[in-house]
């Protein structure tokens, strides 16, 4: 009974998302993966696993954190950001979107998501940089730095 | 269908400018609604007239109104099927079509007004439904309503034996379902303990009678317009039946609304909000007394019962239109008036803050909200128009000789 | 999962015996801290119910400091396009003057973290929910922005975000089209810290476990009492007041 409604919804949302993407993703920005690459050896899982499954890890952790207060750092979204996004570049924070609302090639998430053409909405709510957080330590072992 | 063997149905054959012009007008409103949706989706709700004090605005009024009318529109069919009144049976198909269209129109407004419409898909996929929530139940009720009325239409329109056998049981289920549905819609407000104007179980029955009257009124207007524009014959027999039923429903709403206000007045804690709505000298008291009571109740009842106006088509059409307007005013007063009156944090005390505590909130809808609301109305009417063109919803003739069993 | 439960059980047990043994010798303040620490991998339980007791007579400046501390911690109210009635407010100060006596006082009002939270009851998706330890939250990942919870809240504690938000605090995700309210600084509480407003209050707000009769908040409440706003609604709020 939801089938039809779901289709209508899906179409509408696609339209909505498409409209939002107008102007932001026409050309994939050039990949700048140095920072990101430098971190891969320290990442919580091998990169092929991460590349394929990071969204599931984050999503699972998200429910655990929001509903059960589990704040281990291994798959924590904040930990991803703290590690993969530099605290600042040229004295400015590195944002997901540039000032003119294009995907920022300097931003780890943006650069890859632009490349594969997948829209993500994490940063509509979440901070896209380690703003004010303690400097990221690449070491994910043991204690929580949250 | 078994009952009125004399009645035959056909699609609307009109192909002229009239038909496409009508669709074109609806199309314009639909387009405007889509524009409003994308604009609001892109900018956020700050471009609307709604805020954190008046959190539900014009879109919700339109939506609730259409949804309530939807279950009422089905009534005409139900009278024929459930209560076996033969005279109403030829109207059953159109009443089902109108019911579905009204519901879809109302629901889409609600949907398009959401802050995060994209999360609805996740909600359906992940089956995040909170069964304590009346809202969640309503989604199931609305889905079921569309499905059941769809079946009901099939049972009326299909020639097979199964369809004939199922006609009555399905009709009864659809009727029961719609009563529950309107109870659900009324309960959206009935369970809000925080708001002085809403917290009452009588909200549910009030919404049921309101659905009877506005559903009937809208049906009358649609029926008369459709028969006029397609040059089909519509006799006084049918119209007079509808006329008196409408009057009964209008008086029913009046009775329940008066009861509700009186019980509210009886409870000391509600004195403030009652005085505010009934004699506040504000838009809500105006809408209540002039909109609902005068225009929506007294005048239509007069138009219906005035002896001189018997069989007067204009009078009936006008009565239906005014009833619709009156019902809309009542929903406006309930939705906005109930929010405009400030929450009572401390009884018997004045409260002030930088955030509108203790002040009467005002609301003026932006053009986007108006566009969204009219989108739903246009969608409803467009669905009916396309429906009667595509399938056999309308009896070829509703002349007295066809429908009146005594003629 | 089951291993976790056993671990949790063991930890509880040890803490329990430890408390019993230590109660004789150690100062209560120390006990409090011990009971609050929750390992990061452990789910919250309903053994704990977090609450706040606000003594408005000792709160400087009518509670304005609470508002500022909350803003600083969570970053709300920074909207640029929304008008005053559309802007978000997680906490506000309300001035109350009794009509008859003209007695007047001012208090900070935020989410009262009700035991039977009306917002959680009405929310169609379950995005509004009460955590096992009594903190009422919005899971913005599944909030559809219908605002039914705002209609249901007796305290006007919730706000819809009316525009796109940038530069959020890492611990306080906020975004357009979803509803938000006081989180009792859940990110700090999970680390064993106190909510930002409590820290800023110079001792006028006590935060602690209402289920633990040895916690400071429970002791003060038992001795001096604490009122609820709209107690008549029977919501059994987690936020209590003295001096109202
Ligand atoms: S606005 Fe969000 S949190 Fe509130 S009732 Fe709707 S879905 Fe639930």
């Amino acid at each position: 009974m939801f089938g039809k409604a779901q289709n209508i919804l899906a179409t509408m949302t696609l339209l909505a998302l498409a409209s939002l993407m107008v102007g932001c993703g026409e050309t994939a920005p050039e990949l700048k993966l140095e920072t990101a690459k430098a971190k891969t050896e320290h990442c919580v899982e091998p990169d092929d696993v991460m590349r394929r499954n990071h969204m599931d890890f984050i999503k699972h952790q998200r429910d655990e954190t929001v509903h059960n207060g589990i704040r281990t750092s291994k798959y924590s979204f904040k930990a991803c950001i703290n590690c993969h996004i530099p605290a600042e570049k040229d004295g400015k924070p590195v944002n997901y979107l540039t000032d003119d609302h294009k995907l920022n090639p300097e931003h780890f998430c943006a650069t890859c998501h632009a490349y594969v053409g997948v829209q993500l909405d994490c940063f509509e709510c979440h901070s896209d940089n380690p703003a004010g957080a303690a400097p990221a330590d690449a070491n994910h072992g043991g204690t929580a730095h949250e | 269908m078994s009952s009125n063997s004399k009645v035959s149905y056909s699609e609307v054959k009109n192909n002229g400018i009239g038909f496409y012009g009508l669709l074109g007008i609806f199309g314009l409103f639909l387009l405007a609604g889509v524009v409003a949706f994308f604009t609001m989706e892109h900018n956020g709700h700050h471009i609307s007239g709604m805020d954190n004090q008046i959190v539900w605005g014009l879109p919700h009024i339109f939506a609730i109104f259409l949804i309530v009318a939807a279950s009422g529109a089905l009534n005409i069919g139900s009278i024929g099927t459930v209560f076996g009144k033969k005279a109403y049976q030829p109207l059953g198909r159109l009443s089902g079509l109108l019911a579905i269209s009204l519901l879809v129109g109302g629901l889409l407004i609600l949907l398009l007004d959401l802050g995060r419409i994209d999360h609805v898909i996740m909600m359906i996929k992940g089956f995040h439904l909170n069964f304590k929530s009346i809202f969640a139940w309503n989604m199931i009720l609305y889905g079921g309503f569309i499905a059941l009325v769809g079946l009901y239409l099939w049972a009326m329109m299909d020639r097979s034996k199964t369809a004939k056998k199922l006609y009555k049981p399905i009709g009864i289920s659809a009727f029961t379902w719609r009563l529950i549905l309107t109870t659900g819609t009324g309960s959206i407000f009935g369970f809000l303990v925080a708001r002085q104007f809403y917290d009452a179980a009588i909200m549910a029955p009030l919404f049921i009678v309101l659905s009877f009257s506005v559903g009937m009124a809208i049906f009358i207007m649609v029926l008369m317009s459709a028969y006029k524009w397609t040059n089909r014959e519509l006799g006084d027999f049918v119209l007079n039946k509808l006329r008196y039923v409408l009057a009964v429903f209008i008086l029913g709403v009046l009775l329940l609304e008066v009861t509700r206000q009186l019980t509210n007045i009886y409870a000391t804690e509600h004195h403030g909000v009652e005085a505010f709505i009934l004699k506040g000298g504000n838009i809500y008291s105006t809408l209540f007394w002039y909109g609902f009571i005068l225009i929506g109740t007294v005048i239509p009842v007069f138009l219906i019962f005035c002896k001189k106006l018997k069989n007067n088509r204009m009078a009936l059409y006008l009565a239906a239109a005014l009833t619709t307007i009156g019902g809309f005013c009542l929903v406006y007063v309930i939705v906005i008036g109930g929010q405009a009156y400030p929450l009572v944090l401390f009884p018997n005390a004045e409260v002030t803050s930088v955030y509108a505590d203790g002040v009467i909130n005002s609301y003026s809808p932006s053009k986007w909200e108006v566009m969204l609301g009219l989108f739903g109305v246009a969608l409803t009417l467009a669905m009916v128009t396309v429906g009667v063109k595509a399938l056999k919803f309308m009896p070829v003739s509703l002349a007295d000789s066809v429908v009146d069993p005594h003629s | 999962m089951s291993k976790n439960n056993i671990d949790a059980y063991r930890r509880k047990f040890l803490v329990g015996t430890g408390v019993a043994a230590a109660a004789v010798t150690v100062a209560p303040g120390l006990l409090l801290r011990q009971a609050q620490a929750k390992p990061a991998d452990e789910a919250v339980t309903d053994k704990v119910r977090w609450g706040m007791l606000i003594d408005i007579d000792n709160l400087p400046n009518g509670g304005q400091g609470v508002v500022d501390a909350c803003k600083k911690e969570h970053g709300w109210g920074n909207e640029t396009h929304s008008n005053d009635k559309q802007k978000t407010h997680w906490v506000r100060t309300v001035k109350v003057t009794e009509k008859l006596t003209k007695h007047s006082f001012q208090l900070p009002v935020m989410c009262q973290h009700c035991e039977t939270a009306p917002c959680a009851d009405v929310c169609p998706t379950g995005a509004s929910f009460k955590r096992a330890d009594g903190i009422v939250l919005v899971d913005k990942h599944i909030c559809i922005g219908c605002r039914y919870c705002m209609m249901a809240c007796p305290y006007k504690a919730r706000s819809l975000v009316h525009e796109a938000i940038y530069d959020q605090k890492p611990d306080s995700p906020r975004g357009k089209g979803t509803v938000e309210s006081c989180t009792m600084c859940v990110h700090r509480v999970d680390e064993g810290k106190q909510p930002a407003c409590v820290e800023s209050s110079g001792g006028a707000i006590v935060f602690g476990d209402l289920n633990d009769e040895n916690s400071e908040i429970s002791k003060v409440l038992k001795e001096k009492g604490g009122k609820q706003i709209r107690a008549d609604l029977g919501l059994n709020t987690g936020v209590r007041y003295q001096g109202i």
Side-chain angles (χ1 to χ4, degrees):
Chain A
M1 100 188 150
F2 284 122
K4 221 184 198 152
Q6 195 174 339
N7 284 342
I8 298 173
L9 271 176
T11 329
M12 281 191 334
T13 312
L14 276 181
L15 281 172
L17 290 181
S19 80
L20 290 179
M21 277 164 65
V22 169
C24 12
E26 289 148 11
T27 50
E30 164 201 355
L31 286 172
K32 294 206 176 154
L33 294 175
E34 304 84 51
T35 343
K37 281 231 175 82
K39 305 271 178 162
T40 52
E41 61 209 70
H42 302 292
C43 202
V44 294
E45 301 286 352
D47 16 331
D48 54 332
V49 177
M50 263 339 241
R51 226 166 267 154
R52 211 177 305 269
N53 298 328
H54 66 281
M55 52 300 216
D56 298 327
F57 295 147
I58 299 174
K59 190 170 176 213
H60 180 78
Q61 176 84 7
R62 143 200 138 176
D63 292 338
E64 288 292 328
T65 305
V66 176
H67 291 268
N68 297 325
I70 289 178
R71 291 186 188 262
T72 46
S73 62
K74 188 167 178 192
Y75 297 130
S76 138
F77 186 82
K78 211 172 112 184
C80 300
I81 298 294
N82 285 353
C83 201
H84 286 286
I85 313 296
E88 52 171 48
K89 174 148 193 180
D90 309 329
K92 281 198 337 206
V94 180
N95 293 118
Y96 178 66
L97 294 180
T98 55
D99 287 344
D100 48 354
H101 292 254
K102 300 239 158 86
L103 292 173
N104 179 1
E106 303 281 347
H107 192 279
F108 176 57
C109 309
T111 186
C112 200
H113 272 263
Y115 185 69
V116 295
V118 175
Q119 180 90 2
L120 94 187
D121 61 1
C122 306
F123 301 115
E124 282 179 37
C125 290
H126 282 277
S127 171
D128 53 9
N129 68 83
D137 60 323
N139 151 28
H140 285 276
T143 52
H145 63 235
E146 211 197 345
Chain B
M1 208 187 357
S2 51
S3 48
N4 290 56
S5 45
K6 279 190 273 180
V7 178
S8 64
Y9 299 82
S10 79
E11 300 89 349
V12 168
K13 301 270 158 38
N14 298 36
N15 258 328
I17 315 178
F19 179 78
Y20 289 105
L22 197 61
L23 276 188
I25 294 172
F26 297 151
L28 281 181
F29 280 106
L30 291 177
L31 198 70
V34 171
V35 169
F37 162 67
F38 280 122
T39 318
M40 212 140 104
E41 174 79 12
H42 185 80
N43 289 284
H45 277 66
H46 76 87
I47 59 165
S48 79
M50 296 176 277
D51 51 37
N52 285 331
Q53 330 296 325
I54 305 280
V55 302
W56 284 353
L58 201 57
H60 302 81
I61 299 168
F62 271 102
I64 291 169
F65 181 76
L66 291 177
I67 291 169
V68 163
S71 70
L74 192 65
N75 244 20
I76 295 93
S78 301
I79 299 175
T81 311
V82 181
F83 303 107
K85 302 263 189 249
K86 285 236 160 72
Y88 293 89
Q89 283 176 1
L91 305 175
R93 296 181 181 186
L94 191 60
S95 113
L97 173 66
L98 182 60
I100 289 191
S101 310
L102 284 165
L103 190 72
V104 171
L107 282 183
L108 267 192
I109 303 179
L110 273 191
L111 208 63
L112 296 187
D113 174 74
L114 292 178
R116 290 297 305 240
I117 192 173
D118 50 332
H119 285 181
V120 175
I121 294 173
M122 287 167 26
M123 171 184 172
I124 295 168
K125 285 220 175 106
F127 213 71
H128 292 294
L129 270 191
N130 168 23
F131 285 105
K132 259 186 152 179
S133 166
I134 296 283
F135 244 33
W137 279 106
N138 277 340
M139 290 180 203
I140 294 169
L141 289 173
Y142 298 153
F145 183 82
I146 295 179
L148 262 180
V149 178
L151 265 181
Y152 183 43
L153 283 175
W154 164 80
M156 282 189 276
M157 296 169 80
D158 197 84
R159 287 169 195 277
S160 70
K161 274 224 177 75
T162 352
K164 286 202 175 106
K165 234 196 285 155
L166 288 177
Y167 166 67
K168 186 120 191 184
I170 292 179
I172 293 176
S173 337
F175 176 67
T176 323
W177 193 274
R178 59 131 308 199
L179 287 183
I180 304 174
L181 180 137
T182 334
T183 310
T185 311
S187 302
I188 288 178
F189 295 99
F191 286 108
L192 295 175
V193 290
R195 311 252 172 194
Q196 314 265 315
F197 197 53
Y198 297 149
D199 177 24
I202 200 170
M203 274 302 195
L206 172 68
F207 271 67
I208 291 187
V209 278
L210 183 65
S211 82
F212 287 155
S213 78
V214 294
M216 178 61 89
I218 293 176
F219 182 81
I220 290 175
M221 289 192 288
V222 167
L223 184 76
M224 290 177 77
S225 311
Y227 272 73
K228 177 130 197 130
W229 291 336
T230 54
N231 289 323
R232 298 187 182 200
E233 214 174 323
L234 179 60
D236 284 331
F237 176 74
V238 167
L239 285 182
N240 281 335
K241 289 248 164 198
L242 298 180
R243 183 194 303 258
Y244 294 117
V245 179
L246 178 64
V248 171
F249 290 158
I250 296 173
L251 293 172
V253 179
L254 181 68
L255 180 72
L256 271 188
E257 177 61 12
V258 167
T259 316
R260 186 177 79 93
Q261 303 274 6
L262 282 181
T263 44
N264 244 351
I265 288 175
Y266 196 68
T268 316
E269 63 190 85
H270 294 158
H271 282 176
V273 69
E274 277 306 318
F276 169 67
I277 299 283
L278 295 183
K279 46 182 191 193
N282 49 40
I283 170 157
Y284 312 106
S285 40
T286 310
L287 283 177
F288 182 81
W289 290 111
Y290 293 102
F292 170 64
I293 299 284
L294 185 66
I295 296 180
T297 307
V298 176
I299 301 184
V301 170
F302 169 79
L303 286 172
I304 290 171
F305 286 115
C306 178
K307 284 244 160 56
K308 282 209 183 105
L309 294 172
K310 195 164 191 300
N311 292 344
N312 183 321
R313 303 255 162 136
M314 266 312 280
L316 177 59
Y317 199 95
L318 195 62
L322 294 181
T323 309
T324 312
I325 294 172
F328 191 87
C329 291
L330 182 61
V331 177
Y332 193 102
V333 170
I334 290 176
V335 175
I336 307 293
Q339 296 177 83
Y341 191 74
L343 285 171
V344 175
L345 289 182
F346 295 90
N348 302 319
E350 313 255 357
V351 293
T352 53
S353 77
V354 292
Y355 197 44
D357 278 283
V359 300
I360 307 278
N361 295 302
S362 60
Y363 170 66
S364 47
S366 69
K367 59 173 179 282
W368 311 112
E369 287 143 283
V370 179
M371 281 152 83
L372 262 191
L374 293 178
F375 167 89
V377 177
L379 183 65
T380 300
L381 296 177
M383 279 176 72
V384 174
T385 313
V386 173
V388 296
K389 173 99 183 141
L391 291 168
K392 299 180 169 150
F393 280 106
M394 281 166 54
V396 177
S397 164
L398 284 172
D400 290 353
S401 58
V402 181
V403 281
D404 186 352
H406 309 297
S407 72
Chain C
M1 194 61 215
S2 68
K3 181 173 177 299
N4 262 355
N5 279 346
I6 294 169
D7 279 356
Y9 175 75
R10 196 171 11 158
R11 228 172 266 125
K12 284 272 137 49
F13 181 70
L14 288 177
V15 170
T17 45
V19 168
V24 200
T25 47
V26 194
L30 205 63
L31 278 183
L32 193 72
R33 226 164 294 136
Q34 216 171 32
Q36 275 184 6
K38 174 186 85 66
D41 62 347
E42 193 179 297
V44 290
T45 70
D46 58 5
K47 300 250 162 36
V48 179
R49 173 149 190 232
W50 297 120
M52 290 206 273
L53 175 61
I54 305 174
D55 178 358
I56 64 166
D57 294 327
N58 286 322
L59 205 55
N61 210 355
Q64 189 52 43
V66 165
V67 178
D68 297 340
C70 182
K71 252 189 192 172
K72 186 157 166 253
E73 180 72 21
H74 297 280
W76 54 264
N78 59 350
E79 298 90 318
T80 49
H81 299 292
S82 306
N83 66 32
D84 282 348
K85 287 182 164 187
Q86 290 172 330
K87 279 196 176 142
T88 53
H89 278 262
W90 290 22
V91 54
R92 64 193 192 275
T93 58
V94 176
K95 187 162 189 234
V96 183
T97 312
E98 238 169 77
K99 280 188 192 138
L100 182 66
T101 61
K102 297 283 176 273
H103 173 64
S104 163
F105 55 88
Q106 187 167 330
L107 75 167
V109 178
M110 70 291 267
C111 171
Q112 304 285 302
H113 299 277
C114 312
E115 185 186 15
T116 45
C119 56
D121 280 350
V122 300
C123 174
T125 67
S128 285
F129 69 102
K130 191 186 64 169
R131 233 169 57 144
D133 57 3
I135 300 181
V136 175
L137 295 172
V138 180
D139 181 350
K140 290 161 195 171
H141 303 106
I142 53 175
C143 170
I144 55 175
C146 66
R147 288 104 82 199
Y148 197 15
C149 53
M150 299 174 69
M151 291 291 279
C153 177
Y155 304 105
K156 204 164 73 175
R158 296 206 149 185
S159 312
L160 175 78
V161 180
H162 281 71
E163 62 181 88
I165 300 284
Y166 304 96
D167 301 326
Q168 293 90 338
K169 309 276 175 193
D171 283 315
S172 210
R174 312 174 48 233
K176 180 182 79 185
T178 58
V179 164
E180 57 184 32
S181 59
C182 156
T183 64
M184 223 185 236
C185 282
V186 68
H187 59 291
R188 298 169 67 106
V189 172
D190 282 344
E191 282 186 331
K193 292 199 273 183
Q194 306 226 318
C197 58
V198 178
E199 249 172 36
S200 81
S201 72
I205 308 182
V206 184
F207 168 82
D209 180 4
L210 297 169
N211 281 349
D212 172 8
E213 57 180 38
N214 292 313
S215 67
E216 193 193 345
I217 187 170
S218 300
K219 285 192 203 152
V220 183
L221 276 170
K222 187 168 176 195
E223 195 184 322
K224 297 193 183 141
K227 282 199 198 146
Q228 310 176 46
I229 308 178
R230 290 297 309 264
D232 60 311
L233 295 175
L235 301 172
N236 195 15
T237 57
V239 176
R240 305 289 174 111
Y241 295 85
Q242 283 174 337
I244 63 170

